[in-house]
Amino acid sequence: MMLDEAQAAHSALAREHLKDQIGAAGGWLGFEQFMELALYAPGLGYYSGGAQKLGAGGDFTTAPEISSLFGRCVALQCAEALRALHAGALRSPHADQSSK
């Protein structure tokens, strides 16, 4: 995928910000801190930079956005798990004590 001019400029700013932060930390950032910066740095991170992320104009589309099939699959798995638990297993362990 080719970046347009605005996207390339934003990417360069984000990259420079990451390089600056790595330099300020002595040349190394832990994975958690790096990802925090890459995803959420104000105005620069993937999720905080302002570009559309989801849907046809974004980077990706998730299963629930495509159709209701994902929701139906989750519902079937939940129903199967509930049947396996049996109805009595869903009661609160304190239910019998409330009537005493």
Side-chain angles (χ1 to χ4, degrees):
M1 172 181 164
M2 295 296 296
L3 301 178
D4 65 30
E5 190 175 326
Q7 291 169 326
H10 179 85
S11 181
L13 288 172
R15 182 174 51 250
E16 286 304 311
H17 180 68
L18 283 167
K19 285 171 60 177
D20 290 346
Q21 294 299 308
I22 292 168
W28 184 89
L29 290 176
F31 180 77
E32 182 179 355
Q33 189 176 6
F34 178 86
M35 292 307 296
E36 178 73 24
L37 290 167
L39 297 176
Y40 303 108
L44 296 172
Y46 180 79
Y47 290 114
S48 60
Q52 180 179 352
K53 303 298 178 242
L54 302 175
D59 289 344
F60 61 90
T61 300
T62 60
E65 293 175 327
I66 294 172
S67 76
S68 62
L69 180 60
F70 179 77
R72 286 184 275 175
C73 289
V74 170
L76 286 172
Q77 286 297 295
C78 289
E80 183 178 330
L82 290 172
R83 279 192 300 275
L85 286 173
H86 303 293
L90 297 177
R91 292 181 39 217
S92 167
H94 305 290
D96 293 331
Q97 296 175 3
S98 63
S99 62
K100 291 181 181 179

